Amino acid sequence: MTLADRLNKIIAEQNISKREFAKRIGVSENYVYTLTGESNKITTLSPSLAKVIAFEFGCDAEWVLQGNKE
């Protein structure tokens, strides 16, 4: 599972828009679209952003970063 897949899974499970996801983690909507798009241009996140996502959405930061601990 790619980073984009994991982020799209969180967005789908939370039943929120990518705009709402961006707002809740404090990044631009364009950045979220780049992270979650088909092109998979960005394949890694900073550990600090992974922790924000994990805290905000109740998932594991290591899973967000690497796909571990599913």
Side-chain angles (χ1 to χ4, degrees):
M1 182 179 275
T2 67
L3 173 62
D5 293 336
R6 292 188 298 276
L7 296 179
N8 282 316
K9 181 177 180 173
I10 293 168
I11 292 166
E13 287 177 352
Q14 295 290 317
N15 197 28
I16 59 174
S17 66
K18 290 182 180 182
R19 174 179 284 164
E20 178 66 19
F21 182 79
K23 182 179 174 185
R24 288 175 60 180
I25 64 170
V27 299
S28 74
E29 190 175 342
N30 285 342
Y31 185 57
V32 170
Y33 277 98
T34 302
L35 288 171
T36 60
E38 297 288 323
S39 65
N40 296 322
K41 290 179 187 174
I42 299 176
T43 58
T44 60
L45 284 178
S46 70
S48 59
L49 183 55
K51 287 178 185 175
V52 169
I53 293 168
F55 178 78
E56 183 66 31
F57 298 104
C59 54
D60 184 79
E62 188 65 25
W63 176 78
V64 174
L65 282 171
Q66 303 293 331
N68 301 336
K69 299 183 182 179
E70 273 195 76

